[in-house]
Each structure stands twice: as C-alpha cells, then as structure tokens.
Amino acid sequence: MLNDINKVAQDTINAINEKIKNLNTLNIIVAGKTGVGKSTLINAVFKDNIVQTGMGRPVTNHMRKISKKDIPLAIYDTRGFELGKDVQEDVKKEILDTIKDGLAYNDINKAIHCIWYCINTGSNRIEPEEIEWLRELSEENNSTQVPIIVVLTQTISKKNAEEMKNLILDENLDIIQVIPVLAKDYEIEGLGTVKAFGLDTLIQVMGEAMPDELMDTLQHVQIASLSEKKRKASKIVATAALTATSEGAAPIPFADAALLIPTQVTMIASITVVFGFEINKTVITALLSSTIGSGGATLLGRTVVSNVFKLVPGAGSVAGGAISATTAGIITAALGAAYITIMEMIYKGEMNIEDISSKKGKETLSKVFNDKLKSGKDNLASYLAILSDKNNK
C-alpha cells in the first residue's frame, strides 16, 4: 500500500506542476495619477508582493512591466500623471499601443486582458479632465474591447466613495464597473481601524469580464478573495464527482476501482493550483494516508473496505465486491470537499501547510473527510447542482 500511496502522490505532484506550467499569463495595465496607491493595491490583490520584486523592465517611456519568475502574471504599470494634457496624451497612447501590440501576436499570453484605472477616494473629487481622459481612452479602446475597471482606492469613507462612484457612472463611460476598495486595514488614531474591503468584488468582476482561458490563472495568482477560490474549486469537485459517477455507472469491482484515480488526481491537482499554495509530496502523501488510514476510500479505490459503507448513508452493502456509481461520486465529492476545507484553513491562517503532515493535521484531515462521507448523497447533490447553474463561471 505504501508504494501505491507514494506513486499516486508523485502523480499528483506531477499533475500540479504540469497545470501550473500550462497556465496562461494574465496581463493587466494599471494607470492613475501619482499617489493613488497602485503598488499597495497590486500587492494586496496578487501573491508574492510582485511590485517589490524589482522596478520592472521599461516597456515605453512611461510604462514598466512588472513580473516574477514562475508566476503567470504581468503588470504594466504606467507612470503616475498629474493634470497636464501632453503627459495624459502620452500615457493614453502608450496604453493603446501596448494593447494593439499584444493583439498583433495573436497569443493570449501576450494580449492585455484588463485595465485598472485608479482614483484616490481621499481626494474627494474627480477632475473634469480625468473624466475626459477616461472617456477618450474607453472610446479609442472600443475596437479592442479590453475591460476597463475604475478602482476607487484608499476608500476610508464609503459614503464619499459611493458618491464618486455614482458620479462616474452618470458619465456613461464605456467601463465595466466602478469599485471602491481599501487595500489594507487603516488605523484612525483614537477611533479604531477601518477594515480592508472591496478586493473580493474586484476579483469577482474581473472573473466575469475575462475569458474562461484565464480563470485558473486569475485564481492561482490572486490572494484577495477566498470566496472566488472556493467557487472555482467547488466547480472542479463537481466536475470530478460527475465524472466519477459516470465512470461508476456500472458497478466497479474493487479490483478495477483504481480507474477512478486519474479523475481524483486531476481534481486534487486543480484545487491546489486554484489556491496557489506550494504543496510538496509529503503533504499529498499525508492527505492520502489520512483518508485511507481512517478506513475510508480515496484515490486508491481498490482499498475500499466494508467500513466505508457505514459512513455513507444509503450506500448499501458491499454487493459482489463492487462499488456503485453513487458511491464513486460520493467518495470523490467527499475527498474534494475535505481538501477545499483544508485549503481554506491554510488560507485563513488556521493551519500551516507543514501542519498537514503532523499527527494533529492528519487527524483533522481524517475527521473532515469522514464528516463529508457521512453527509453522503446530500454532499454529492450539492456539488452536482453547481454544474446545472448556468451563471456559475
């Protein structure tokens, strides 16, 4: 059995690495006046403090490209500009030229996928010239249709932000949304702390505006929205559970139940990529050994024993040494749900990745997995319902 676990763990690590290698690169232009907090915003949204990895390489006179090795993300940061027609025209031209140059490659990895235009809410006003600049940019961008999002940064007063948002929306600019955000907690001396907010909305809006080919990348590189990561991961589990159910449409003999392994390996690898954590073989081995050791059934389908059926209401008995379609789906959904729960705990700081390999970590894994098994058909049904929701991206 140990050899089997080691092999499946290595297969999973290989699948994770392959998926990361094949992620498309997400390219975003970030523009705005000097002092609007672009760097703070970027670092709050994306992992690994990407802005602090260096000044980036110059792309044009006023633009630099910021990227980091092994992260499929590039930020095109324009020079902060104050009011001044010539500078504004230069920056606008550089943005449009960068978009057109990217499209000329006919390669999704080279194209610009989104523009953030940042306005500091703390200024309490929007200059007419700034509105006009946005209007001209959006009109000239009409042929390329790169989504433009106006981000109201440093939003301490939500009331002021709402007024600014409505003012911009009333201009009927060709933009997809105006989003007030506070990138990090802001302490007001003697009054308390204003909690960061709005970044999850920014990720949600981006996800709705960009091509499906970039969804895995967006979730992999963003650190701002747990809910969006969970939504994407849940769809992955739903797809895997449906596949497992189809694979088990006819009863699967224990001897052949390992046919489910590729589906479940892909599921675990895909969830890992969405959460963006660095997972090693030791962690995956702990995941397998914890669930198998609890008397359950996971990737090594042929290790299913009678005890698992006691944990799955309505699964019935072991008939002819075979696993039914429903049971195959239930096991897959339980494994996926348990893994998402563990990833969520790590995201929230309730557990470190290294803790998974500890005794306590394995006990947590085992308990979560068994709890999901006990909810059986209800857990499976909730995931399959996701696939029938046409609005779920």
Side-chain angles (χ1 to χ4, degrees), residues 113-184:
H113 305 116
C114 188
I115 300 171
W116 295 352
Y117 184 78
C118 301
I119 300 174
N120 185 347
T121 309
S123 65
N124 292 323
R125 63 175 301 188
I126 305 173
E127 301 287 350
E129 292 88 345
E130 201 165 9
I131 290 290
E132 186 58 28
W133 187 91
L134 267 173
R135 188 184 308 281
E136 292 174 359
L137 175 68
S138 60
E139 288 176 354
E140 294 186 48
N141 174 56
N142 187 56
S143 60
T144 52
Q145 289 293 300
V146 175
I148 300 174
I149 300 174
V150 175
V151 184
L152 301 181
T153 61
Q154 302 181 35
T155 300
I156 307 301
S157 169
K158 292 185 179 181
K159 179 182 178 181
N160 288 350
E162 193 64 25
E163 291 175 356
M164 292 181 72
K165 175 180 178 179
N166 291 333
L167 177 63
I168 296 170
L169 291 176
D170 287 345
E171 294 291 336
N172 293 317
L173 303 172
D174 190 10
I175 57 179
I176 62 172
Q177 191 55 272
V178 179
I179 305 174
V181 305
L182 182 61
K184 61 181 182 179

Side-chain angles (χ1 to χ4, degrees), residues 32-244:
K33 291 169 60 178
T34 302
V36 296
K38 291 186 292 179
S39 296
T40 300
L41 174 66
I42 293 166
N43 283 333
V45 172
F46 300 116
K47 66 181 187 177
D48 285 6
N49 285 324
I50 188 168
V51 173
Q52 297 177 14
T53 62
M55 293 300 294
R57 66 175 182 83
V59 177
T60 67
N61 290 336
H62 298 147
M63 184 182 291
R64 61 192 175 116
K65 179 181 178 181
I66 305 169
S67 59
K68 186 175 181 181
K69 184 180 179 182
D70 298 328
I71 297 181
L73 170 71
I75 302 294
Y76 291 78
D77 184 21
T78 66
R79 186 184 77 172
F81 61 89
E82 302 300 332
L83 298 180
K85 194 65 176 177
D86 290 343
V87 175
Q88 290 182 12
E89 283 297 321
D90 286 345
V91 173
K92 183 181 67 178
K93 183 177 185 304
E94 289 175 341
I95 290 173
L96 295 170
D97 286 349
T98 301
I99 292 171
K100 292 175 183 176
D101 290 346
L103 289 174
Y105 283 98
N106 196 28
D107 180 353
I108 192 170
N109 296 292
K110 303 293 185 181
I112 298 299
H113 305 116
C114 188
I115 300 171
W116 295 352
Y117 184 78
C118 301
I119 300 174
N120 185 347
T121 309
S123 65
N124 292 323
R125 63 175 301 188
I126 305 173
E127 301 287 350
E129 292 88 345
E130 201 165 9
I131 290 290
E132 186 58 28
W133 187 91
L134 267 173
R135 188 184 308 281
E136 292 174 359
L137 175 68
S138 60
E139 288 176 354
E140 294 186 48
N141 174 56
N142 187 56
S143 60
T144 52
Q145 289 293 300
V146 175
I148 300 174
I149 300 174
V150 175
V151 184
L152 301 181
T153 61
Q154 302 181 35
T155 300
I156 307 301
S157 169
K158 292 185 179 181
K159 179 182 178 181
N160 288 350
E162 193 64 25
E163 291 175 356
M164 292 181 72
K165 175 180 178 179
N166 291 333
L167 177 63
I168 296 170
L169 291 176
D170 287 345
E171 294 291 336
N172 293 317
L173 303 172
D174 190 10
I175 57 179
I176 62 172
Q177 191 55 272
V178 179
I179 305 174
V181 305
L182 182 61
K184 61 181 182 179
D185 295 352
Y186 183 84
E187 184 177 353
I188 303 176
E189 187 174 355
L191 296 177
T193 301
V194 181
K195 292 293 185 181
F197 72 95
L199 298 179
D200 53 345
T201 302
L202 177 57
I203 295 301
Q204 180 182 350
V205 170
M206 288 179 66
E208 293 169 351
M210 294 191 303
D212 289 343
E213 294 89 343
L214 290 165
M215 292 304 97
D216 286 350
T217 302
L218 175 61
Q219 297 309 323
H220 179 73
V221 299
Q222 68 95 357
I223 57 172
S225 176
L226 173 61
S227 61
E228 287 301 295
K229 285 182 181 291
K230 288 176 64 178
R231 189 160 75 98
K232 177 63 176 176
S234 293
K235 189 171 182 180
I236 290 167
V237 175
T239 301
L242 178 62
T243 301

